[in-house]
């Protein structure tokens, strides 16, 4: 605690402003702009991931009891992939894009030149503390920016490991890490950034965006929400159950922004689905899931009591159809299923972000669409069905960051799909080329020659000039000729 | 709209209309776009008159900067909308087989467009084209500083466009404030940096994404040029300074940078051009817009009346307070710490800053906030390259001014202090769309190692999978390779 305070007092507004000044200096010197620098940093990260994967896994275990397997496939490998794609494609991404110009500006040529935004701030989250810190940094570096990372203090082991590793493997004059909590974040947010990339919740996102407004800083907000899963009755039950479990409990025990929050299914089908989820859960985690090594724990006691409160709500007593066991000392909650909680219960209205899965029954599966649309737009919406029409209706009528048909969370592994929310689930997107774009300004460039100067543009204005202008804007060659010769 | 209640009802109706799904159909979108075209074609004379009376814009100028721009945007939207709306399908690695990936643009919902007074018609209708193309319902708030145009739009838009989906609210600061209290799915704002900050802060409460089209001091670098090119260049600078709403344009030339020994030549040519374009009789200036109102007129006059600035006037400097006209004015080397060199001028005053070497202009520009547009007149290819890579601005135009605005395939928007987000052409559609990621899988080919209980085999299998090493995956599955 004492050392915590020392740290807090050390990072004040002056320190923050010094930090940003130093980075701005690096950017102005043009260092981060070159292809070579970007590649060297991306390679540095790749080296870091390859050499230190053990330490990364250990930190993830210490912060979240994350099983090594999850640590690998959801964090380390995704970061590695992201780096490989960026290294392979960077040259192509950095190329100016030629665009066509119209007759009205003839002779001319136009292009869109990607340029770095400058100095950017990445504020990451605790649930995937490695991935959500490094993946945005990859985009920021690929785009040629200097970066400050503020990792989440809720995952302290990863926070201090990142500080150590990034300092060791990256250019310290362009990439900095500031550890800390609310006070450090507020101090950082007072500074002027050229972009802020925030992963977290809607409440803090509003604070971040309001702070950004003072300096006209654009933001990417990666938030969450209650992501629904519609399960039709014509599905392969076993595969569906496995994929739901895979996306819910095998992804950081439900503490993921794209985790299924609730399932919508028909009254008749619900018992079948529940049975099959129970059966597969048993196969995955055994009969004593609290002691399964293959499941993460709840991150800390705050979240543990938040989740306990959701389950202790009178409105859902008697609705728990599976699980419900907790172990406060180990911060573990067993996979829990709640059937038809009351509409006004806490759990029906808050993002669960933990190992509790809601099942909501509806009369007809088509009603699922209205149910989802009556709530805030989620980050992801899932549907399991074999019906073509239902798929189409779901895709065209549901607004969500992403839609996945017959699987869960898999979209975030596809680097050719933009990953990001809409409405309450956030704004802006990243992954692959979209990460590069998120940290890039696309500068419009128009090149003209001194030839072909159309006098119609200039005063003194006449009726003939108006006619010529109309023809020019129309791009009609005949019209231009007629206007030029005064035939119209 | 007179009361808060009325505004609430309007916004509610826009939301209901959006929910009904009516605005999503391509037919509705096209019908509305065609209606905009009809609106401007059938009311062209009216619009000419309005713009003439409100801002003193000559019809040719009005056509070039407002009516023509809108017509061109509608034409393009109509011819491209099917393509813009179509889902983009893409390739997926074999690992995901069988699966498909799509990016599907969808409307954001109910959007708010806040217009500006300097181009009171096009800065409302041009973003509206994007919002409609993308399938949104829209609330428009034209600027109260061009009141006649605002009431004309409020009157005419419900006549031509679907009144349940597109509404206009008239009013000033208070009304804007009220509007900003509501939850919008996007706010598109054109105006000043100061108000831009307020708009974004209000948007933050509802997590509403914003596009901010602001301005800034747009520089024009003027390299030494051969005489014939210099004449063309001077015309283009004059047109970019005085030709568009008398300098009251966000992409208008704010100041010029020129080499010391070339300054006199440039100034002489500019003087000649001004005389040719606008005449030199202050009482009878032609083809030039007036200052929008007394407040701005006084602001500009105060800038000039500062004695350190008044000394720098090398051309013009006269006012006509009654008619709100300010003469095209050229200033040579005003002090760099003066107001005129630090605030956006937004009027017909042109400071010319001399440098020892034109290359110094890069440093000069970098010492100021990032401008919306940067103009450079030069034939030096190396210098062009340097400008491109060493400065930052919304856009760069070589050897011309303003024309980038009319180029649909170029994104139009700022960076840093000049705003963020972009529009025009396809970018307008994107600005008002959410690109939804859609991934479809089948129930076949469930890869067992995806799921717990975890073991070494599964880890090795997944490692190979992520490396897209299909042979190794196969060997592992067949037990022919040890993990």
């Amino acid at each position: 605690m004492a050392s915590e305070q020392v740290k807090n007092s050390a990072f004040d507004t002056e320190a923050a402003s010094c930090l940003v000044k130093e980075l701005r200096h690096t950017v102005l010197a043009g260092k981060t702009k070159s292809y070579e620098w970007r590649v060297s940093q991306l390679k540095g990260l790749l080296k870091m991931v390859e050499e230190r994967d053990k330490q990364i896994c250990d930190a993830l275990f210490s912060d979240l009891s994350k099983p090594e397997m999850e640590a690998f496939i959801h964090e380390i490998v995704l970061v590695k992939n992201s780096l490989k794609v960026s290294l392979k494609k960077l040259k192509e991404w950095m190329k100016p894009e030629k665009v066509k110009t119209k007759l009205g500006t003839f002779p001319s040529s136009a292009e869109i030149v990607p340029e770095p935004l400058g100095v950017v701030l990445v504020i990451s989250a605790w649930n995937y503390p490695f991935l959500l810190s490094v993946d945005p940094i990859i985009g920021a570096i690929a785009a040629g920016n200097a970066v400050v990372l503020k990792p989440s203090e809720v995952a302290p082991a990863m926070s201090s490991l990142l500080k150590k590793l990034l300092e060791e493997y990256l250019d310290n004059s362009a990439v900095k890490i500031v550890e800390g909590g609310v006070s450090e974040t507020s101090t950082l947010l007072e500074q002027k950034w050229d972009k802020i990339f925030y992963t977290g919740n809607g409440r803090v996102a509003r604070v971040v965006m309001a702070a950004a407004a003072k300096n006209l800083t654009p933001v990417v907000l990666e938030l969450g929400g209650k992501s629904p899963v519609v399960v039709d009755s014509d599905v392969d039950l076993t595969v569906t159950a496995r994929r739901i479990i895979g996306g819910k409990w095998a992804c950081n025990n439900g503490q993921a922004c794209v985790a299924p929050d609730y399932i919508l299914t028909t009254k008749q089908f619900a018992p079948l689905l529940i049975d099959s989820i129970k059966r597969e859960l048993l196969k995955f985690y055994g009969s004593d899931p609290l002691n399964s090594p293959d499941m993460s724990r709840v991150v800390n006691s705050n979240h543990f009591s938040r989740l306990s409160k959701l389950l202790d709500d009178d409105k859902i007593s008697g609705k728990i159809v599976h699980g419900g066991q907790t172990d406060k000392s180990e911060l573990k909650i067993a996979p829990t299923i709640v059937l038809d909680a009351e509409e006004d219960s806490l759990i029906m209205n808050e993002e669960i972000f933990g190992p509790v899965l809601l099942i909501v029954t509806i009369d007809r599966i088509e009603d699922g669409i209205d149910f989802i649309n009556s709530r805030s737009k989620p980050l992801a919406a899932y549907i399991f069905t074999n019906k073509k029409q239902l798929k189409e209706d779901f895709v065209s009528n549901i607004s969500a960051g992403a839609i996945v048909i017959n699987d869960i969370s898999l979209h975030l592994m596809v680097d050719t799909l933009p990953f990001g929310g809409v409405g309450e689930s956030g704004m802006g997107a990243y992954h692959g080329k979209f990460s590069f774009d998120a940290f890039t300004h696309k500068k419009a460039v128009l090149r003209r020659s001194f030839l072909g100067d159309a006098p119609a543009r200039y005063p003194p204005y006449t009726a003939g000039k108006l006619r010529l202008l109309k023809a020019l804007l129309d791009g009609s060659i005949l019209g231009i000729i007629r206007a030029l010769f005064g035939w119209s | 709209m007179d009361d808060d209640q009325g505004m609430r009802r309007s916004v509610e109706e826009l939301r209901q209309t959006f929910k009904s799904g009516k605005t999503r159909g391509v037919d509705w979108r096209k019908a509305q776009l065609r209606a905009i075209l009809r609106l401007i074609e059938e009311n062209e004379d009216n619009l000419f008159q309005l713009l003439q009376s409100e801002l003193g814009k000559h019809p040719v100028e009005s056509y070039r900067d407002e009516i023509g721009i809108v017509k061109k945007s509608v034409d393009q939207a109509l011819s491209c909308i099917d393509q813009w709306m179509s889902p983009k399908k893409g390739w997926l690695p074999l690992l995901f087989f069988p699966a498909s990936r799509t990016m599907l643009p969808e409307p954001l919902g109910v959007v708010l467009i806040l217009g500006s007074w300097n181009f009171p018609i096009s800065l409302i209708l041009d973003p509206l084209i994007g919002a409609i193309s993308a399938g949104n319902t829209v609330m428009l708030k034209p600027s109260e500083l061009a009141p006649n145009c605002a009431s004309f739009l409020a009157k005419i838009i419900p006549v031509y466009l679907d009144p349940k989906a597109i509404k206009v609210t008239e009013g000033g600061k208070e009304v804007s404030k009220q509007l900003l209290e509501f939850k919008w799915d996007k706010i598109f704002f054109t105006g000043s940096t100061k108000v831009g900050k307020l708009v974004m802060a209000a948007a933050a409460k509802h997590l509403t994404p914003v596009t901010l089209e602001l301005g800034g001091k747009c520089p024009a670098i003027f390299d030494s040029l051969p005489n014939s090119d210099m004449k063309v260049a001077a015309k283009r600078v004059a047109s970019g300074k005085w030709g568009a709403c008398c300098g009251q344009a966000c992409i208008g030339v704010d100041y010029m940078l020129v080499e010391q020994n070339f300054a006199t030549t440039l100034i002489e040519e500019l003087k000649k051009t001004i005389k040719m374009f606008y005449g030199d009789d202050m009482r009878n200036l032609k083809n030039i817009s007036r200052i929008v109102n007394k407040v701005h007129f006084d602001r500009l006059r105060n800038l000039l009346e500062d004695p350190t600035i008044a000394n720098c006037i090398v051309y013009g400097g006269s006012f006509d307070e009654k008619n709100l006209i300010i003469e095209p004015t050229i200033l040579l080397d005003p002090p760099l710490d003066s107001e005129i060199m630090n605030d956006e001028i937004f009027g017909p005053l042109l400071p010319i800053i001399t440098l020892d070497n034109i290359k110094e202009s890069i440093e000069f520009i970098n010492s100021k906030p990032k401008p919306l547009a940067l103009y450079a007149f030069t034939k030096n290819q190396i210098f062009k390259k340097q400008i491109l890579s060493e400065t930052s601005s919304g856009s760069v135009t070589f050897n011309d001014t303003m024309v980038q605005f009319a180029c649909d395939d170029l994104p139009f928007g700022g960076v840093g202090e000049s705003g963020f987000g972009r529009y025009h052409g396809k970018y307008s559609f994107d600005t008002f769309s959410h690109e939804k990621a859609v991934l479809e899988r089948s129930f076949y080919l469930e890869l067992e190692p995806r799921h717990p209980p975890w073991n070494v085999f599964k880890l090795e299998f997944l490692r190979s999978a992520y490396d897209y090493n299909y042979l190794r995956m196969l060997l592992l599955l067949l037990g022919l390779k040890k993990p």
Side-chain angles (χ1 to χ4, degrees):
Chain A
M1 197 63 205
S3 71
E4 187 73 16
Q5 265 157 9
V6 171
K7 225 162 67 184
N8 281 354
S9 62
F11 194 76
D12 53 12
T13 304
E14 204 190 318
S17 119
C18 273
L19 183 84
V20 175
K21 218 176 267 168
E22 188 191 337
L23 293 177
R24 235 169 246 297
H25 186 76
T26 307
V27 167
L28 268 181
K31 185 181 190 182
T32 59
K33 212 165 189 175
S34 76
Y35 174 76
E36 290 70 26
W37 182 85
R38 305 185 199 192
V39 165
S40 75
Q41 298 307 298
L42 294 175
K43 281 190 175 153
L45 280 172
L46 194 59
K47 192 159 170 252
M48 175 186 101
V49 178
E50 275 164 357
E51 290 176 357
R52 303 300 186 94
D53 54 358
K54 181 82 185 52
Q55 268 169 289
I56 296 165
C57 286
D58 288 349
L60 288 168
F61 189 79
S62 147
D63 286 333
L64 291 151
S65 308
K66 206 174 259 198
E68 190 188 352
M69 184 78 172
E70 270 189 43
F72 253 99
I73 61 177
H74 295 150
E75 306 219 36
I76 293 173
V77 177
L78 277 182
V79 163
K80 240 195 218 169
N81 269 10
S82 201
L83 285 164
K84 283 182 185 162
V85 170
S86 303
L87 280 164
K88 197 171 138 199
K89 297 281 174 81
L90 186 58
K91 237 188 198 133
E92 189 187 315
W93 294 345
M94 286 174 69
K95 266 199 201 120
E97 178 196 337
K98 289 264 172 218
V99 302
K100 53 182 198 296
T101 53
K102 294 267 161 61
L103 202 54
T105 56
F106 178 85
S108 64
S109 70
E111 60 192 338
I112 301 169
V113 177
E115 69 173 31
L117 289 167
V119 182
V120 303
L121 173 65
V122 173
I123 304 175
S124 68
W126 53 263
N127 57 337
Y128 287 85
F130 184 70
L131 174 72
L132 298 180
S133 299
V134 180
D135 211 10
I137 292 183
I138 294 170
I141 289 175
N145 299 279
V147 200
V148 172
L149 167 70
K150 211 299 285 168
S152 170
E153 74 283 12
V154 178
M158 183 53 78
S159 174
S160 60
L161 179 68
L162 279 169
K163 177 145 181 85
K164 208 177 96 201
L165 293 187
L166 294 184
E167 278 172 4
E168 188 180 331
Y169 285 89
L170 296 181
D171 177 350
N172 291 313
S173 70
V175 183
K176 305 258 180 206
I177 300 91
V178 175
E179 286 190 87
V182 178
S183 123
E184 284 78 4
T185 309
S186 316
T187 309
L188 284 169
L189 285 174
E190 286 166 14
Q191 297 299 313
K192 179 180 163 55
W193 305 94
D194 297 308
K195 183 105 191 189
I196 300 176
F197 188 105
Y198 169 77
T199 307
N201 65 52
R203 189 179 48 79
V204 178
R206 285 171 165 82
V207 177
V208 169
M209 189 170 169
K214 295 199 179 107
N215 293 307
L216 290 172
T217 303
V219 290
V220 171
L221 303 175
E222 294 286 344
L223 315 176
K226 291 179 86 68
S227 295
V229 188
V230 171
V231 182
D232 195 5
S233 52
D234 66 346
V235 299
D236 179 327
L237 251 181
T238 309
V239 172
T240 303
R242 292 171 80 87
R243 288 180 181 174
I244 289 172
I245 299 168
K248 177 78 184 179
W249 293 286
C251 285
N252 205 28
N253 211 354
Q255 303 168 102
C257 51
V258 289
D261 189 285
Y262 64 94
I263 288 178
L264 289 163
T265 192
T266 56
K267 277 201 174 59
Q268 297 83 350
F269 194 66
L272 289 171
L273 180 65
I274 292 170
D275 282 345
S276 121
I277 294 179
K278 281 186 188 170
R279 192 175 59 238
E280 296 303 318
L281 272 173
L282 190 67
K283 282 191 211 155
F284 283 11
Y285 302 112
S287 53
D288 181 14
L290 284 181
N291 286 316
S292 164
D294 294 333
M295 198 157 20
S296 303
R297 66 163 154 79
V298 175
V299 64
N300 61 21
S301 56
N302 286 345
H303 280 272
F304 188 86
S305 33
R306 179 183 64 79
L307 288 162
S308 307
K309 212 168 97 198
L310 290 183
L311 289 178
D312 291 343
D313 187 349
D314 285 343
K315 294 200 172 92
I316 68 158
S317 65
K319 313 266 181 173
I320 297 176
V321 293
H322 183 72
Q325 305 91 325
T326 61
D327 178 346
K328 199 171 177 185
S329 62
E330 295 292 319
L331 298 174
K332 290 230 170 180
I333 296 178
T336 300
I337 301 174
V338 175
L339 180 63
D340 281 328
E342 274 177 49
E343 188 60 39
D344 60 346
S345 59
L346 223 50
I347 204 164
M348 283 290 284
N349 295 288
E350 268 182 33
E351 182 175 1
I352 297 171
F353 222 70
V356 185
L357 180 67
L358 271 175
I359 295 185
V360 178
T361 59
I362 44 184
D363 291 334
R364 296 172 332 126
I365 200 69
E366 291 78 11
D367 297 343
I369 293 177
D370 282 341
F371 188 93
I372 297 167
N373 280 340
S374 68
R375 291 153 185 269
S376 306
K377 297 178 180 179
L379 185 56
Y382 306 104
I383 186 166
F384 288 86
T385 182
N386 276 315
K387 293 193 188 77
K388 197 157 175 271
Q389 188 58 45
L390 185 60
K391 286 181 197 171
E392 271 170 25
D393 289 348
F394 193 81
V395 168
S396 60
N397 290 317
I398 302 256
S399 181
I403 285 179
V404 181
I405 300 168
N406 296 334
D407 213 321
I408 304 278
S409 303
L410 208 64
H411 60 296
L412 65 84
M413 300 190 180
V414 180
D415 58 60
T416 46
L417 280 177
F419 181 78
V422 59
E424 284 289 315
S425 53
M427 60 182 88
Y430 73 132
H431 285 183
K433 171 77 164 24
F434 304 100
S435 292
F436 178 84
D437 290 342
F439 291 101
T440 295
H441 164 55
K442 302 247 170 136
K443 184 155 74 176
V445 179
L446 184 64
R447 297 167 190 272
R448 291 266 290 146
S449 91
F450 292 103
L451 302 170
D453 207 35
R457 290 171 56 189
Y458 307 122
Y461 298 127
T462 61
K465 285 186 177 176
L466 183 59
R467 278 198 298 275
L468 181 58
L469 214 58
K470 285 185 178 179
L472 273 172
L473 280 165
D474 264 352
S476 125
I477 295 185
L478 198 63
I480 295 168
I481 294 171
R482 284 153 67 123
L484 279 175
F485 287 91
W487 290 342
S488 55
Chain B
M1 217 153 310
D2 3 62
D3 56 355
D4 195 34
Q5 213 49 40
M7 193 187 282
R8 189 168 298 281
R9 268 200 304 274
S10 289
V11 178
E12 191 45 43
E13 190 179 347
L14 289 175
R15 202 155 284 288
Q16 286 312 323
T17 308
F18 181 71
K19 275 197 182 145
S20 76
K22 176 188 194 181
T23 62
R24 286 174 177 256
V26 67
D27 293 338
W28 182 88
R29 305 187 198 191
K30 282 184 177 167
Q32 299 306 306
L33 292 172
R34 282 194 205 102
I36 294 180
L37 207 53
R38 263 203 329 277
L39 186 158
I40 54 164
E41 278 169 1
E42 290 171 8
N43 295 281
E44 193 176 276
D45 289 335
N46 238 335
L47 289 166
F48 281 153
Q49 263 169 27
L50 273 170
L51 290 164
Q52 180 110 49
S53 76
E54 200 127 63
L55 291 152
K57 277 191 195 179
H58 189 283
V60 177
E61 191 185 321
S62 292
Y63 191 85
R64 185 194 58 191
D65 297 347
E66 306 225 39
I67 298 161
I69 289 284
V70 172
K71 183 175 179 309
K72 172 192 65 59
S73 292
V74 180
D75 284 342
Q76 204 211 5
L78 277 170
S79 69
C80 300
I81 188 166
D82 292 299
Q83 188 200 336
W84 291 343
M85 283 174 69
S86 63
K88 273 184 271 170
K89 299 232 177 234
W91 177 90
L92 273 178
L94 189 60
L95 178 62
F96 296 94
F97 180 84
S100 75
R101 147 180 93 86
T102 313
M103 285 185 281
L104 185 67
E106 66 173 29
L108 290 167
V110 186
V111 305
L112 173 66
I113 295 173
L114 300 164
S116 172
W117 53 263
N118 52 343
F119 298 90
I121 304 299
S122 61
L123 293 181
I124 282 287
L125 295 184
D126 210 11
L128 176 65
I129 292 165
I132 290 175
S133 304
N136 299 279
T137 58
V138 194
M139 175 66 86
L140 299 164
K141 215 294 280 170
S143 167
E144 75 281 12
L145 298 185
N148 299 333
C149 288
S151 33
F152 176 75
L153 288 172
K155 201 176 78 223
I156 206 83
I157 283 180
V159 176
Y160 283 86
L161 302 178
D162 181 348
K164 288 189 175 341
I166 295 144
K167 294 188 182 290
V168 187
T169 303
E170 280 185 86
K173 223 187 265 173
E174 276 312 306
V175 168
S176 300
K177 223 188 238 166
Q178 278 175 317
L179 281 170
L180 286 171
E181 293 287 319
F182 289 95
K183 179 181 163 59
W184 305 96
D185 297 305
K186 176 99 190 192
I187 301 175
F188 187 102
F189 168 79
T190 308
S192 72
T193 303
K194 200 182 88 213
V195 182
K197 289 178 182 173
L198 298 177
V199 169
M200 187 174 173
K205 290 191 197 122
H206 299 292
L207 288 176
T208 301
V210 288
T211 294
L212 301 177
E213 295 287 346
L214 314 175
K217 291 181 83 64
C218 302
I221 301 171
F222 208 97
D223 198 359
S224 311
L225 293 168
N227 205 35
S228 61
D229 293 340
M230 200 258 301
K231 283 188 157 64
V232 174
K235 277 189 193 171
R236 291 177 179 176
V237 168
S239 179
K241 180 71 197 181
W242 299 288
C245 206
C246 196
Q248 303 168 102
C250 51
I251 52 168
V253 174
D254 188 285
Y255 65 96
M256 292 184 78
L257 296 163
V258 65
E259 262 178 36
Q260 189 99 49
N261 51 22
F262 196 65
T264 323
T265 321
L266 170 67
I267 290 168
E268 286 315 308
E269 189 59 35
L270 280 175
K271 285 183 190 170
K272 254 192 265 170
T273 311
I274 292 171
K275 280 175 199 159
M276 180 168 57
F277 284 3
Y278 312 107
D280 54 359
D281 179 2
M282 180 55 202
R283 281 159 308 171
N284 194 20
L285 283 179
K286 284 196 180 73
N287 307 315
I288 192 158
S289 304
R290 64 166 165 84
I291 306 305
V292 60
N293 59 24
K294 186 78 172 44
V295 177
H296 279 273
F297 184 86
D298 288 342
R299 176 182 65 81
L300 289 161
R301 182 162 60 183
N302 287 342
L303 284 180
L304 273 189
E305 281 180 348
D306 176 342
T308 57
I309 303 298
N311 283 337
C312 307
I313 298 177
V314 292
Y315 183 85
S318 336
F319 311 95
D320 173 355
E321 185 167 348
K322 200 173 111 242
N323 296 309
L324 297 178
I325 288 175
I326 299 180
E327 197 184 3
T329 300
I330 302 174
L331 305 148
L332 184 60
D333 281 325
L336 296 182
D337 57 357
S338 62
E339 225 178 308
I340 204 171
M341 278 317 292
N342 290 285
D343 289 348
E344 184 174 3
I345 297 171
F346 226 67
L349 321 177
L350 177 66
I352 295 179
I353 306 293
T354 58
L355 307 166
D356 290 336
N357 185 316
I358 198 68
K359 299 265 158 68
E360 291 163 24
S361 48
I362 289 179
E363 205 179 318
F364 190 94
I365 290 167
N366 284 339
S367 71
K368 298 187 171 293
K370 299 178 179 178
L372 184 55
L374 187 158
Y375 302 108
F377 292 84
T378 179
K379 298 186 107 174
N380 181 339
Q381 297 302 331
I382 296 167
F383 187 39
K384 280 187 194 172
K385 230 182 201 164
Q386 257 179 315
I387 291 170
L388 269 194
S389 65
E390 291 172 27
T391 67
S392 179
S393 56
S395 65
V396 175
T397 302
F398 289 113
N399 300 330
D400 210 332
T401 58
M402 315 288 277
V403 284
Q404 78 275 17
F405 190 84
C407 189
D408 291 315
D409 293 303
L410 281 178
F412 181 79
V415 59
E417 295 276 304
S418 52
F420 57 81
R422 44 187 192 235
Y423 74 129
H424 284 187
K426 168 74 158 54
Y427 299 98
S428 292
F429 178 84
D430 292 343
T431 289
F432 291 103
S433 294
H434 162 57
E435 197 166 50
K436 185 160 67 179
V438 181
L439 181 65
E440 177 166 1
R441 292 262 293 146
S442 96
F443 291 103
Y444 305 111
L445 279 183
E446 179 71 344
L447 284 175
E448 187 50 37
R450 275 176 68 180
H451 303 300
W454 305 129
N455 54 38
V456 183
F457 164 78
K458 289 184 180 179
L459 182 58
E460 283 315 305
F461 181 84
L462 286 166
R463 267 190 218 267
S464 321
Y466 277 109
D467 283 339
Y468 303 124
N469 187 338
Y470 299 108
L471 180 64
R472 191 150 177 269
M473 281 162 72
L474 189 67
L475 294 177
L476 279 165
L477 275 180
L478 297 176
L480 293 174
K481 190 164 182 77
K482 283 231 165 68

